[in-house]
Amino acid sequence: MPEVIFNGPDGRLEGRYHHSKVPNAPIALLLHPHPQHGGTMNNKVVYGMYHTFVRRGFSTLRFNFRGVGRSQGKFDNGQGELSDAASALDWMQSYNPNAGACWVGGFSFGAWIGMQLLMRRPEIDGFISVAPPANIYDFTFLAPCPSSGLIVHGSSDELVPEPSVAKLAAKLGTQKNIKVRYRTVEGANHFFGAHMDPLNELVDQYLGESLDGATRAEPAPALAAALP
């Protein structure tokens, strides 16, 4: 899990990157929750998704938005963070010019940023959005949603009421040629607490079905219980 430093629009950005040994492996970019509420690339939801993508054979990057950890700059209410994500994707593509596919995943604030990146970058083939804050941020920019993906939410989310996310998923699911799968984790709150295993299983199952055997996972370490 090598540490990487790459240039962002407001200074250097810090990340953790795994390069797949699979030829022409797909790439995945993972985005963390709100920087002003303790969100970092080591958030356990992001960390879990990172390892799930790695086990599925992806070259995978998670990084700290500006002003978090060793990343330079300061919080920019989403606009700067979207630019950070675009720079991170550029960096990944420079090392993976023949990637077989491109995915983005995000948790909470990171899900909101990820869905905006989806609209700006047509090369993104799929997405994973965990607990998108549909009651806080405007998601009407997804008109139409350009890629299929998975939305996962906790049934007992105390910050983002489940019906608001179900409504968003239902709206996206009405589009032609786009399939948005919506799943809930029973009893999980916004941070998924003791419900990480079912969350990771849903993400892994969706990736397996989406890849349809086209990408062979390389051996990878089991998901660690503690964050680095």
Side-chain angles (χ1 to χ4, degrees):
M1 194 185 306
E3 177 183 353
V4 294
I5 299 291
F6 56 92
N7 292 325
D10 199 28
R12 294 188 303 274
L13 296 172
E14 171 193 22
R16 298 291 185 275
Y17 174 67
H18 171 86
H19 189 76
S20 175
K21 296 177 182 177
V22 177
N24 302 324
I27 58 175
L29 175 66
L30 301 177
L31 307 174
H32 70 72
H34 205 295
Q36 293 192 317
H37 297 286
T40 78
M41 66 177 173
N42 291 330
N43 170 273
K44 66 180 182 179
V45 173
V46 175
Y47 186 73
M49 284 197 291
Y50 177 93
H51 278 273
T52 299
F53 274 99
V54 166
R55 286 195 299 271
R56 285 288 176 183
F58 284 73
S59 289
T60 310
L61 173 69
R62 71 187 201 270
F63 77 98
N64 281 329
F65 287 125
R66 57 184 62 197
V68 178
R70 296 172 59 196
S71 291
Q72 296 178 326
K74 61 181 180 179
F75 181 67
D76 193 35
N77 296 302
Q79 293 183 1
E81 288 71 23
L82 176 57
S83 295
D84 292 345
S87 293
L89 185 56
D90 289 341
W91 182 88
M92 285 197 76
Q93 290 175 326
S94 71
Y95 281 94
N96 300 272
N98 299 313
C102 177
W103 285 61
V104 63
F107 169 45
S108 194
F109 173 87
W112 179 57
I113 298 296
M115 298 300 274
Q116 292 181 74
L117 188 64
L118 193 71
M119 295 298 296
R120 294 189 175 202
R121 303 294 287 262
E123 69 268 31
I124 297 177
D125 301 291
F127 69 87
I128 306 288
S129 287
V130 178
N135 64 324
I136 300 172
Y137 295 108
D138 184 5
F139 282 80
T140 57
F141 57 83
L142 292 167
C145 181
S147 301
S148 298
L150 171 68
I151 298 176
V152 185
H153 204 69
S155 68
S156 299
D157 192 316
E158 72 286 10
L159 298 179
V160 181
E162 189 275 330
S164 67
V165 180
K167 182 179 179 181
L168 171 64
K171 179 181 178 181
L172 298 181
T174 60
Q175 298 171 188
K176 292 182 179 180
N177 303 319
I178 292 295
K179 295 182 179 179
V180 176
R181 182 179 299 180
Y182 178 54
R183 295 289 183 266
T184 58
V185 176
E186 189 63 31
N189 63 15
H190 189 69
F191 302 99
F192 287 85
H195 296 83
M196 284 301 304
D197 285 346
L199 171 60
N200 290 333
E201 289 170 4
L202 283 172
V203 173
D204 183 65
Q205 179 184 36
Y206 182 77
L207 286 180
E209 294 174 1
S210 299
L211 296 170
D212 195 28
T215 302
R216 183 178 59 190
E218 62 178 288
L223 179 62
L227 300 180

